[in-house]
Amino acid sequence: MRGHRDLRLLLALTVVCAIGSLITPLGAVRVIFAVPLTLIFPGYAIAAAAFASRPLAWPERIPLTLGISLACLALSSLVLNYTPGGIRGLPWVLILVLVVFFCCRSAATHRGRSSRRGRTDRQEADPLPKLGKPRPVTAILAAVALAMVAAALVLAQATFDNNNAAGYTQLWVSPPKPTDTFAQIGVTSEQQQTRGYRLVVEVEGEDSPLVQTFELEPSQTHLTKVNSDSESPVGVEAKLYLRSNPTKVYRRVSTQLNPAGASVR
Amino acid sequence: MASNRVALIILACAAGILVCSIANALSRAGEDPTPLLYWVGVLVIVLPIFYRLTSEEASPGERLALVCLLGLSLYGVKLVRDAPIFTFADEFLHGYNSNQVSQYHHLFHDNPILETSKYYPGLEGATSALRTLTGLSGYTAGAIVIGAARLLAMSAMFVLFWRVSDSARIAGLGTAIFTGNFNFLFWSAQFSYQSMALPMLLLILLAVVELEIAPRAARGAWRALAALTIAAVVVTHHITSYAVAATLIVLSALTAWVERVRKPAGPWRLALLALVLTTIWLIFIASSTVEYISPTVSNAIESSFHTAAGEAPTRDLFQGATSNIQPTPTPARAVALLAVLMLIAGLPFGLLTVWRRYRKQPVALLFGLAAIAFFGALALRLTPAAWETGNRASEFLFIGLAFVIGCVGLERWRPASARWAGRVLAATALTIIVIGGAISGWPWDSQLAHAVRTHSEEGPTISSPPLAMAEWAQDHRAEGKIGALVATSRLLLDPGDRRVYSDFTANLVEIIPDDSLLSWQRELLQEKNIRFVVVDRREVGGDGIRGFFFTEQGTSTDGWLPRSSVTKFETFPGATRIYDSGSIVIYDLEPGRDGEPEKR
């Protein structure tokens, strides 16, 4: 690849990004390596190989690089799907590095032939428009713009107080498995403020229900476990009342306990 | 000077995104901000770009940079609306597919709601590269991939229009006009297969145009890259792959007509390839697509005939989906209708220019035909069962319309008394088209984000009822399939990671709201092996746009499903009620059942 600076640079960057995305411990930092490795380099390399004998004009290079990278990813995932390792990090890196390597090699070979036929890159390539050195004002404006976008994204991720959101409470019982001889009943508050509750659990065949009163802060959960000693399946019904409205059933759930005894803890 | 101008425009875009983010943040905080704030944000993004694009002086490079900036900035408007979790109905389906790839390291895992989506894994496959290499969430990796696709769409369209028109000005304006298509701001920006496939279609069109104008030595390269992209589209999205095949066939026919030849002409080899690959994929891999698409299309045709014959009422435009949802305000409707009127007004002038200057170019003729057909697709929006088909078609057809309207040349009108008039009018018209398109494309009340999570008055974070239910279902895993309405089913897919059936694969959206459980419904539940049924009583439970969020305090519950639609499941022998959050109730129809192993 001697004499093809862009291809050598591309290969070097591909190797750096491949290693970087494999060994960097922080996922957020790996993004810096993984984005060019997946969304830019394959497309650039394939386009370079395809247009080795007639270099591309710069406007076409941008959509081709992005589009062929996306197409390459979509089709490579099909290839990886049928390899023993499946779709994992290392196979992805290997396939992308191989694509870039072979395309760069092919581009270098064909460019060499074209040069021998009298066509050189310099003669035919439509170079990217030169960007002048940015003035200090331009740099400041760009930095402010970047800060604004960052602020917009941070704001978009933030959770706010919303006193208009209607709070509620969940009453639930864990879905029983065939081997379960107990049931777990939970009350989770998704209310705006602390609320007081009364939970009444009635087990079929038991004389007196279990009654619990408690308060829950927002996002807190109250758990109760119900066991069964009975030799036949028994029904369990839990009713939740708000302390502020003690006569009206607020939530209701039910379940069936498998045989093994029934007692309430 | 030029770099300062571009930097100022970048600054305006950043400011616009920040203003939109503030408007969304206020909305999530329940402050009910004026929609004007949000639209001012959009205006700050688009107006400076449009004004600059109307100038004669801007270089092709600057124009390309501007349209890319426009596409990315409007994508930023969508990103700052996200929660940040998926909040668009289709995103949950593809988010689930993407999670399955990450979890099991293979493609083609079942998607219980939309079976067809698993046979088009291009988007999830591409996203898996980023996910496996970085450990990013499906949302973040998906946002990056769709961002890249958006950049591809804008750059490919600009170069395509440039090569066809030989005018960077028309290319810039045409590409900017494309952002005025109804779906651009939100629907096409979601993590969904069409969002990646449509930009690739533009790349294929670009390759076809280059095939005609490139030196002979470069044609093979363009053909090879077009073939590669066609293959990628075929594995990514069904409708786009059909659109690619249809477009290439029409282009071949137009080329034969323009060149007055009676043999295959133009991109016929690529057309054949697209047709063969699409057919092979449809028959051998994705045959269920026929079952998925054909009812929608046949209903659309039938419904259109009924409406046209006056046997069925037309669809009300700009109306709220339920009684609690306010219709679009009159000024906003006026802007949306004005945008359509402007497109209609520009059409004859644009077509005239296309005919005069570009009638020897088959692609330009294709754009002209698409522009005319767009208004036919627009008429489908008036038909209840056909509006979705019209909406889908309109996005493809808008590519042609954008080119034709870009050829109008209003910006070049310079009356002696006000030489700036043409540019100002053109930039204003473009702005109205973009804002009007955004109003038409997404419900007025949902332009801004609503809260899925919020800090309670005492501090800790609480989740919306459907999200909390999905998180509960994720924590309390029990074997068995779940049946749910649209909103809860999507959240049960992602983040719930549960096998849930809803609108496409079972009649649950008809069974759940009913007052009583009929025998056929009981049989269907048993036949489909549905163990858990989630009854969402909220009026928005069946709404794939509004159903994911908190209800506001004091919202009327008049439109809720009747209590009997919940309690009817207690007539199911042995059914137990295992979850109750007031608006959402879950029944276990077969408690203690082992449940069949989850098929993946």
Side-chain angles (χ1 to χ4, degrees):
Chain A
M1 253 165 270
R2 195 174 298 161
H4 304 287
R5 208 171 138 203
D6 63 326
L7 299 179
R8 276 189 291 139
L9 185 65
L10 177 64
L11 257 184
L13 284 174
T14 303
V15 172
V16 168
C17 287
I19 294 170
S21 55
L22 282 178
I23 64 166
T24 310
L26 269 177
V29 181
R30 282 204 298 268
V31 175
I32 298 167
F33 297 110
V35 167
L37 180 66
T38 53
L39 297 174
I40 299 172
F41 297 161
Y44 188 94
I46 294 170
F51 291 95
S53 53
R54 298 275 311 198
L56 267 175
W58 66 266
E60 277 83 356
R61 210 174 280 172
I62 298 167
L64 268 185
T65 298
L66 284 167
I68 299 299
S69 290
L70 284 173
C72 173
L73 292 180
L75 296 172
S76 299
S77 68
L78 275 181
V79 175
L80 289 181
N81 188 54
Y82 297 105
T83 57
I87 300 171
R88 291 171 196 269
L90 185 62
W92 261 123
V93 165
L94 287 176
I95 200 165
L96 292 174
V97 170
L98 283 175
V99 165
V100 173
F101 176 77
F102 283 111
C103 287
C104 285
R105 207 179 138 83
S106 163
T109 310
H110 287 93
R111 277 186 195 178
R113 281 184 205 153
S114 307
S115 303
R116 282 196 293 278
R117 285 202 299 268
R119 287 202 298 256
T120 64
D121 296 1
R122 278 205 195 139
Q123 282 169 330
E124 297 200 17
D126 186 358
L128 273 166
K130 288 242 165 88
L131 294 171
K133 194 179 171 189
R135 296 174 187 189
V137 181
T138 311
I140 290 168
L141 289 174
V144 174
L146 204 64
M148 279 179 170
V149 172
L153 291 175
V154 168
L155 199 60
Q157 306 237 356
T159 304
F160 299 97
D161 295 349
N162 182 346
N163 298 343
N164 289 338
Y168 58 95
T169 305
Q170 302 167 305
L171 173 64
W172 50 266
V173 53
S174 289
K177 292 176 184 144
T179 52
D180 284 353
T181 56
F182 66 89
Q184 192 173 48
I185 295 169
V187 180
T188 303
S189 169
E190 300 282 339
Q191 300 281 3
Q192 292 276 7
Q193 299 132 336
T194 299
R195 289 279 172 102
Y197 301 93
R198 185 163 60 93
L199 178 68
V200 179
V201 183
E202 292 173 350
V203 180
E204 197 181 342
E206 294 272 329
D207 293 337
S208 54
L210 166 74
V211 180
Q212 295 176 337
T213 53
F214 51 89
E215 281 193 343
L216 289 177
E217 289 174 11
S219 87
Q220 264 191 334
T221 297
H222 172 91
L223 293 172
T224 303
K225 208 170 182 182
V226 180
N227 279 341
S228 162
D229 290 331
S230 168
E231 292 189 355
S232 58
V234 289
V236 175
E237 186 172 45
K239 289 176 184 164
L240 186 71
Y241 299 82
L242 285 175
R243 199 182 285 169
S244 55
N245 191 358
T247 54
K248 189 182 173 193
V249 176
Y250 176 57
R251 303 279 185 260
R252 178 172 63 84
V253 294
S254 60
T255 190
Q256 202 150 43
L257 286 180
N258 293 314
S263 67
V264 177
R265 274 182 202 164
Chain B
M1 195 59 199
S3 62
N4 272 355
R5 189 170 39 235
V6 171
L8 274 172
I9 292 175
I10 292 173
L11 189 70
C13 287
I17 294 172
L18 183 58
V19 170
C20 288
S21 187
I22 290 169
N24 277 298
L26 288 171
S27 177
R28 288 204 306 277
E31 297 294 334
D32 202 14
T34 164
L36 271 182
L37 182 64
Y38 166 72
W39 292 111
V40 164
V42 176
L43 206 67
V44 169
I45 292 171
V46 299
L47 200 53
I49 293 180
F50 290 163
Y51 189 70
R52 182 62 188 155
L53 283 173
T54 58
S55 79
E56 294 278 353
E57 302 88 48
S59 67
E62 187 182 341
R63 289 179 200 275
L64 175 57
L66 288 176
V67 295
C68 288
L69 184 65
L70 177 66
L72 285 182
S73 300
L74 291 178
Y75 183 55
V77 173
K78 186 264 178 188
L79 289 184
V80 297
R81 184 191 177 278
D82 292 344
I85 59 167
F86 292 131
T87 51
F88 290 82
D90 287 2
E91 292 187 322
F92 297 100
L93 305 173
H94 295 282
Y96 176 81
N97 288 351
S98 173
N99 291 342
Q100 297 293 298
V101 178
S102 291
Q103 206 172 335
Y104 298 101
H105 311 292
H106 284 98
L107 306 172
F108 303 117
H109 285 277
D110 276 350
N111 185 308
I113 292 184
L114 186 56
E115 192 195 350
T116 305
S117 67
K118 76 171 180 181
Y119 300 117
Y120 293 91
L123 172 66
E124 290 85 352
T127 309
S128 75
L130 265 181
R131 289 192 73 175
T132 52
L133 289 176
T134 59
L136 287 176
S137 68
Y139 172 79
T140 314
I144 293 171
V145 170
I146 299 300
R150 178 54 57 102
L151 201 54
L152 163 64
M154 301 308 283
S155 56
M157 187 177 288
F158 176 83
V159 183
L160 168 67
F161 287 177
W162 188 11
R163 294 302 179 231
V164 173
S165 66
D166 205 21
S167 159
R169 185 180 48 80
I170 288 177
L173 289 172
T175 310
I177 289 165
F178 183 72
T179 62
N181 92 61
F182 304 144
N183 294 330
F184 189 86
L185 196 60
F186 290 132
W187 199 86
S188 297
Q190 61 177 330
F191 181 65
S192 178
Y193 37 22
Q194 188 173 313
S195 308
M196 179 166 133
L198 182 69
M200 291 201 282
L201 178 148
L202 289 164
L203 184 62
I204 294 165
L205 276 181
L206 171 62
V208 168
V209 171
E210 297 280 358
L211 260 174
E212 297 299 315
I213 57 174
R216 185 173 288 273
R219 286 184 195 163
W222 280 112
R223 200 169 280 128
L225 294 184
L228 181 81
T229 315
I230 287 170
V233 170
V234 167
V235 304
T236 301
H237 187 225
H238 39 73
I239 292 174
T240 312
S241 64
Y242 311 149
V244 167
T247 304
L248 293 176
I249 289 167
V250 174
L251 258 180
S252 304
L254 282 173
T255 309
W257 181 72
V258 167
E259 294 175 1
R260 304 275 190 268
V261 291
R262 286 182 178 276
K263 58 179 185 178
W268 69 272
R269 289 186 189 87
L270 290 174
L272 193 65
L273 177 77
L275 198 63
V276 168
L277 288 182
T278 303
T279 310
I280 289 174
W281 195 261
L282 184 67
I283 292 173
F284 294 104
I285 309 286
S287 54
S288 69
T289 314
V290 178
E291 208 178 310
Y292 164 56
I293 291 179
S294 53
T296 312
V297 175
S298 57
N299 282 346
I301 295 167
E302 202 178 322
S303 174
S304 302
F305 279 122
H306 285 307
T307 306
E311 292 166 10
T314 53
R315 179 174 161 263
D316 288 332
L317 300 173
F318 305 112
Q319 292 302 311
T322 64
S323 58
N324 275 334
I325 297 161
Q326 294 297 314
T328 308
T330 309
R333 290 185 199 196
V335 173
L337 292 174
L338 187 60
V340 175
L341 287 177
M342 282 177 163
L343 292 172
I344 293 172
L347 183 70
F349 297 101
L351 285 175
L352 199 65
T353 309
V354 169
W355 184 251
R356 276 186 189 154
R357 287 196 212 158
Y358 309 119
R359 67 171 174 270
K360 294 285 177 202
Q361 291 193 50
V363 176
L365 293 179
L366 177 76
F367 288 156
L369 292 175
I372 295 165
F374 170 81
F375 293 98
L378 208 58
L380 291 180
R381 293 174 87 88
L382 296 169
T383 310
W387 82 268
E388 197 184 342
T389 307
N391 187 39
R392 295 286 184 99
S394 69
E395 193 170 10
F396 292 96
L397 300 171
F398 207 99
I399 298 168
L401 183 65
F403 178 81
V404 171
I405 300 295
C407 292
V408 168
L410 176 63
E411 71 285 354
R412 303 178 80 182
W413 179 54
R414 289 179 191 165
S417 55
R419 302 189 70 78
W420 44 266
R423 282 187 68 191
V424 170
L425 277 177
T428 310
L430 277 173
T431 306
I432 291 170
I433 287 170
V434 168
I435 291 183
I439 292 170
S440 301
W442 205 249
W444 178 258
D445 65 298
S446 298
Q447 296 276 351
L448 286 174
H450 297 283
V452 286
R453 285 200 182 92
T454 178
H455 288 311
S456 61
E457 283 178 32
E458 294 179 8
T461 303
I462 54 176
S463 303
S464 71
L467 179 61
M469 182 277 302
E471 288 169 341
W472 175 85
Q474 189 185 23
D475 291 344
H476 298 86
R477 302 188 71 89
E479 298 292 343
K481 296 173 182 173
I482 305 176
L485 292 178
V486 175
T488 40
S489 70
R490 299 309 191 265
L491 286 161
L492 279 164
L493 273 187
D494 187 19
D497 191 27
R498 302 306 313 274
R499 283 183 65 73
V500 58
Y501 291 78
S502 181
D503 37 344
F504 291 117
T505 41
N507 283 339
L508 286 149
V509 289
E510 288 174 30
I511 296 173
I512 292 173
D514 262 7
D515 285 353
S516 55
L517 197 58
L518 304 172
S519 58
W520 72 266
Q521 295 174 332
R522 209 178 288 252
E523 283 162 16
L524 188 82
L525 289 171
Q526 284 166 336
E527 184 193 312
K528 293 272 178 191
N529 266 323
I530 302 290
R531 179 179 165 187
F532 302 101
V533 178
V534 181
V535 188
D536 185 351
R537 289 185 65 202
R538 298 171 309 146
E539 200 173 6
V540 291
D543 190 331
I545 293 176
R546 303 173 183 87
F548 312 116
F549 308 102
F550 271 104
T551 309
E552 283 194 7
Q553 284 184 13
T555 304
S556 163
T557 57
D558 291 348
W560 280 27
L561 295 179
R563 201 168 288 277
S564 54
S565 64
V566 179
T567 52
K568 69 173 184 275
F569 289 104
E570 288 168 16
T571 65
F572 209 97
T576 56
R577 176 174 168 133
I578 60 167
Y579 178 98
D580 182 357
S581 69
S583 56
I584 299 175
V585 174
I586 303 179
Y587 281 94
D588 183 350
L589 302 181
E590 294 178 60
R593 191 184 67 161
D594 208 351
E596 62 183 41
E598 306 254 320
K599 266 191 248 166
R600 297 288 187 182

